Amino acid sequence: MYNTRVRGILIKGNKTYSDVSRDVLRPLDAPTPIWWWVTAGLAIIAMAWGSWAFYNTISTGIGIWGLNNNVGWGFEIINFVWWIGIGHAGTAFSIFLLILRQKWRTSINRAAEAMTIFAVMAAGLFPLLHMGRIWDGFFIFPYWNTRGPLWDNFNSPLFWDVVAISTYFMASALFWYMGMIPDFATIRESTTSKIKKKIYGAMSFGWIGNAKSWLRFETAALLLGGMAAPLVVSVHSIVSMDFSVSVVPGWHTTIFPPYFVIGAIFSGFGMVLTLMIILRKLYSFKDYVTDGHLDAITRILTFISLIMATAYMTELFTAWYSGSEYELFTFMKNRVTGDYTFAYWTMITCNAIIPQLFWFKAIRKNIAIVFIMSIFINIGMWFERYIIVVTSLSKDFLPATWAGYSPTIIEVAAFVGTIGLFVFGVLAFFRWLPTIAISEVKGVLKETTTLKSFTDEN
Amino acid sequence: MKTNILGIYEDEDVLLHAIDKLQADGIVVADVYSPFPIHGIWSRLKLTTRLPYATFVYGAVGAVAIFMMLYWMSVVSYPLKFGGKPLNTLSFIIIMFVGTIFIGTLLTFLTYLGREKMFPGKQVILPDPRSTEDKFVLVIAKPEDMNDQETKHLMKMLKETGATEIKESTVNDHE
């Protein structure tokens, strides 16, 4: 009853089961390639620069950022929301597609989940830093303290954020790790290196892979997936409430939760596309991540892009229809026209217009163009967060308090540092972990390679 | 020492038919090791799991526990008004929702590890290590009083059902 019809050949090249393990595990045994060292070096330099920014911020205070009384949120919140959005892809990919029984996810979900983990790590650094006095960060936990005990404000979206993001991180990490356990056992049993056998053996938790353990494994995966699926929706809804429960013009709208969730999935899928094109090129995984897989992602992106465009138009309509002059000013005089015109129209172009090119088959088939477009989506989504955070804060109700915002070098360095962290994490994943879910690919291999109807009366 | 007879198969559909045939002849299939989950096996071996019930209980208890915690902290221990909102508010639902998922996910994972007796660094020996790679290993427990002729007959039956390799193994409980 768990079987769905498959759309066509998922894994090309008439692979056998051992071909799958061999192909996926080849990069683990091969010597570290030069591109890896070069990229890792750049990532480490970026992280070092970011650490400098973090050190300066913590030792001096967030006064060294470009924030002012009006624009109290800047680069850090933009980048936090941007990373969290990217971090939505893994779970959206594996879990929604797991629950919808989309078998083409099997070649991609592992990498998407890894991306989630590192993106959420990168995201989490910003609120920590934004606390200012990071050494008092533990105040956020409702622990028994000597100040009353004084508890948290459980009605604050900022507190909800802490709970939601840590839960999301834990659930994604568990789901990701659990999926890798059988693959670690495959490495354990097939490797000839004693050190690898020890390390991967320890990480495989003593996996045996008999009928009962697979039954429990599948059940647990489905349960974890089923529980994490609402998290995908709730995390970004909660992030959006950081904005929408305030009375700032441009933020105080009910469209924010769905708008943020769909934006997160959009940017996440964009980043998955970027990453999978790189991965399949570097490791020659074209038989696993086929043009068909990329085609499926671009189709989803086209659809989500239409929803994004609808959301942008809805925002403009609501601003006009509300009759509130502040709303109208924010959207018409400070976004569509005004000081932030460039950022606004970059956002519209990258998110709502460029992805519509995916309607053309010739463009979907041209991987170079698809790659460039996926980068544009990432840029567009960054500008969306920039628009939301900066335009609304810079010019609100009192013209006397209007202020501009430009980031200082420290803020740029912190952002570059998190990019370094993300890239380094992904590189480590490429180098030492099975980048494609071996056991899941094997599970769909036969029915999708030979297109035989699956004769399972279960 | 307990001995098992292993039938090694190359294909999951052949294996499923083999299980049907063997069971029709009254042979008890003790276990199957495979490189990926095969859905047809669980009903054939009459395997079930109660993991979903455990998860439900964790979620239900978690939701109630978190509500009690929020209520006690906000209403009983230190009733502090924020923005004129009531102390016991509907917006508790958000922490309850996320907290329920937190507790449910973590405990489900731990229960899974506990039931499987899995932990970091556990050492195991498989009856045939190729079952993590590309082979499907069917295990039949060999009764102690089974004579050579009966063993041969059983092995012949396995061969007929499509096993590409048949052997005896003394690996029990993966030690």
Side-chain angles (χ1 to χ4, degrees), chain A residues 17 21 155 210 216 442 446, chain B residues 11-13 91 116 133:
Chain A
Y17 294 131
S21 331
N155 298 318
N210 64 355
R216 288 206 185 105
K442 284 179 186 168
K446 190 178 174 194
Chain B
D11 185 290
E12 68 264 37
D13 289 334
S91 57
E116 282 290 303
E133 180 73 43

Side-chain angles (χ1 to χ4, degrees), chain A residues 72-360:
Chain A
W73 279 357
F75 242 49
E76 293 64 33
I77 300 298
I78 298 168
N79 299 325
F80 158 71
V81 181
W82 188 68
W83 277 124
I84 282 285
I86 288 169
H88 267 56
T91 323
F93 226 103
S94 1
I95 291 168
F96 283 161
L97 298 183
L98 171 80
I99 290 166
L100 297 172
R101 312 221 176 270
Q102 292 290 312
K103 305 218 167 179
W104 59 274
R105 90 197 141 79
T106 50
S107 309
I108 296 171
N109 58 358
R110 175 71 49 76
E113 286 162 32
M115 202 186 84
T116 291
I117 306 289
F118 300 118
V120 175
M121 277 182 190
L125 289 174
F126 286 109
L128 274 180
L129 203 58
H130 219 308
M131 285 176 168
R133 299 188 185 98
I134 199 170
W135 48 92
D136 284 338
F138 61 91
F139 277 26
I140 197 71
F141 298 110
Y143 69 101
W144 205 282
N145 54 61
T146 50
R147 303 182 297 276
L150 181 64
W151 307 108
D152 294 280
N153 178 2
F154 299 113
N155 298 318
S156 162
L158 299 177
F159 180 74
W160 299 342
D161 238 359
V162 176
V163 179
I165 289 167
S166 28
T167 303
Y168 183 67
F169 181 71
M170 187 211 62
S172 312
L174 286 185
F175 191 77
W176 182 55
Y177 192 85
M178 203 179 121
M180 284 194 290
I181 288 177
D183 294 352
F184 288 147
T186 305
I187 303 176
R188 175 190 76 200
E189 299 299 339
S190 63
T191 186
T192 46
S193 143
K194 267 191 183 158
I195 302 170
K196 274 194 183 158
K197 201 174 177 72
K198 253 210 158 68
I199 295 173
Y200 289 107
M203 294 201 298
S204 73
F205 285 21
W207 171 260
I208 50 172
N210 64 355
K212 182 88 185 194
S213 57
W214 276 120
L215 172 63
R216 288 206 185 105
F217 177 86
E218 286 267 283
T219 312
L222 210 56
L223 286 169
L224 291 190
M227 281 187 283
L231 268 190
V232 177
V233 178
S234 72
V235 169
H236 232 76
S237 299
I238 290 173
V239 170
S240 82
M241 280 185 239
D242 292 344
F243 297 89
S244 60
V245 298
S246 68
V247 288
V248 175
W251 289 5
H252 194 57
T253 57
T254 48
I255 197 179
F256 256 42
Y259 172 43
F260 267 54
V261 170
I262 207 71
I265 293 172
F266 187 62
S267 68
F269 271 56
M271 193 59 110
V272 165
L273 195 56
T274 313
L275 206 68
M276 290 323 291
I277 292 175
I278 296 174
L279 177 70
R280 75 178 212 144
K281 178 88 186 154
L282 290 176
Y283 287 159
S284 337
F285 279 165
K286 284 183 183 144
D287 289 337
Y288 296 95
V289 185
T290 61
D291 292 347
H293 285 87
L294 300 182
D295 188 68
I297 304 179
T298 53
R299 282 161 193 255
I300 294 178
L301 280 171
T302 319
F303 174 64
I304 304 179
S305 162
L306 285 175
I307 307 182
M308 297 294 292
T310 313
Y312 295 142
M313 287 189 284
T314 311
E315 274 198 316
L316 293 180
F317 172 79
T318 315
W320 166 75
Y321 194 64
S322 68
S324 158
E325 54 183 308
Y326 303 103
E327 286 285 326
L328 209 55
F329 172 84
T330 300
F331 281 95
M332 298 305 175
K333 298 280 168 63
N334 206 26
R335 290 189 185 182
V336 177
T337 63
D339 290 346
Y340 299 96
T341 316
F342 172 76
Y344 184 82
W345 289 104
T346 307
M347 168 188 93
I348 296 282
T349 313
C350 292
N351 294 345
I353 298 170
I354 289 181
Q356 295 310 315
L357 292 174
F358 285 141
W359 285 101
F360 301 104

Side-chain angles (χ1 to χ4, degrees), chain A residues 419-433:
Chain A
I419 294 178
L421 174 75
F422 177 77
V423 171
F424 189 79
V426 169
L427 281 174
F429 164 71
F430 278 9
R431 183 71 192 84
W432 290 295
L433 296 175

Side-chain angles (χ1 to χ4, degrees), chain B residues 72-100:
Chain B
W72 182 79
M73 285 176 179
S74 310
V75 181
V76 180
S77 167
Y78 199 130
L80 180 61
K81 285 251 181 199
F82 289 102
K85 295 190 188 79
L87 294 171
N88 181 22
T89 73
L90 197 62
S91 57
F92 283 174
I93 200 85
I94 293 181
I95 304 283
M96 284 169 66
F97 175 83
V98 180
T100 303

Side-chain angles (χ1 to χ4, degrees), chain B residues 21-43:
Chain B
K21 257 188 233 166
L22 291 169
Q23 286 181 332
D25 288 337
I27 294 166
V28 180
V29 176
D31 209 345
V32 174
Y33 291 82
S34 60
F36 54 83
I38 306 168
H39 291 272
I41 282 187
W42 303 322
S43 59

